[in-house]
Amino acid sequence: MTQNSTHKPLPFKDLDGLPVFAQEWQALTLAMVDTLITNRFIEPSTWSEAFGSALSRAHASGNLDDMDTYYAVALATLEKLMTEQCKVSEAEISSKKDDWKQAYLRTPHGHPVEL
């Protein structure tokens, strides 16, 4: 994948120096969405429509309108669009999740997780 020369990484802190993301996976989820859009694997309108609809459904089914819901829905929407638009199978996504879980479980506390 190529990187757009005007691409700016997502900030981890706001203008007051406070964390923008509670957990690293939240930033990585949005960074993956940005990369897929920048490299034209997903259209911006496709992301907006899918994410907005999924948020509406989550709120309608009683989920709180908070950051936990926002990022959980963002991740689920990303996974859904990866299977639909990028031709990544659900089995491949599940396998990669399992790989990361096993890597996490075998990594000593305080050390970086590596596959």
Side-chain angles (χ1 to χ4, degrees):
M1 288 186 210
T2 61
Q3 188 173 19
N4 184 328
S5 61
T6 61
H7 177 78
K8 295 178 184 172
L10 291 168
F12 284 92
K13 297 193 180 223
D14 66 12
L15 296 175
D16 296 322
L18 300 172
V20 174
F21 303 100
Q23 297 180 35
E24 186 176 352
W25 72 266
Q26 297 168 340
L28 293 172
T29 297
L30 295 184
M32 288 177 65
V33 170
D34 181 64
T35 298
L36 291 171
I37 290 171
T38 298
N39 291 284
R40 299 185 177 141
F41 289 101
I42 296 174
E43 290 296 319
S45 60
T46 301
W47 168 257
S48 296
E49 290 169 17
F51 185 46
S53 294
L55 276 176
S56 293
R57 286 191 305 277
H59 296 148
S61 66
N63 288 298
L64 296 175
D65 186 8
D66 63 10
M67 297 308 277
D68 289 338
T69 298
Y70 180 89
Y71 288 111
V73 170
L75 179 59
T77 303
L78 171 62
E79 291 176 354
K80 181 178 184 288
L81 290 178
M82 286 178 63
T83 62
E84 293 175 358
Q85 304 286 314
C86 303
K87 308 301 182 211
V88 176
S89 72
E90 289 182 24
E92 290 172 304
I93 292 172
S94 180
S95 175
K96 191 56 69 179
K97 282 182 179 179
D98 289 342
D99 292 346
W100 274 106
K101 181 178 179 182
Q102 293 306 314
Y104 168 79
L105 292 173
R106 71 174 173 262
T107 301
H109 180 73
H111 291 81
V113 177
E114 295 181 14
L115 281 178

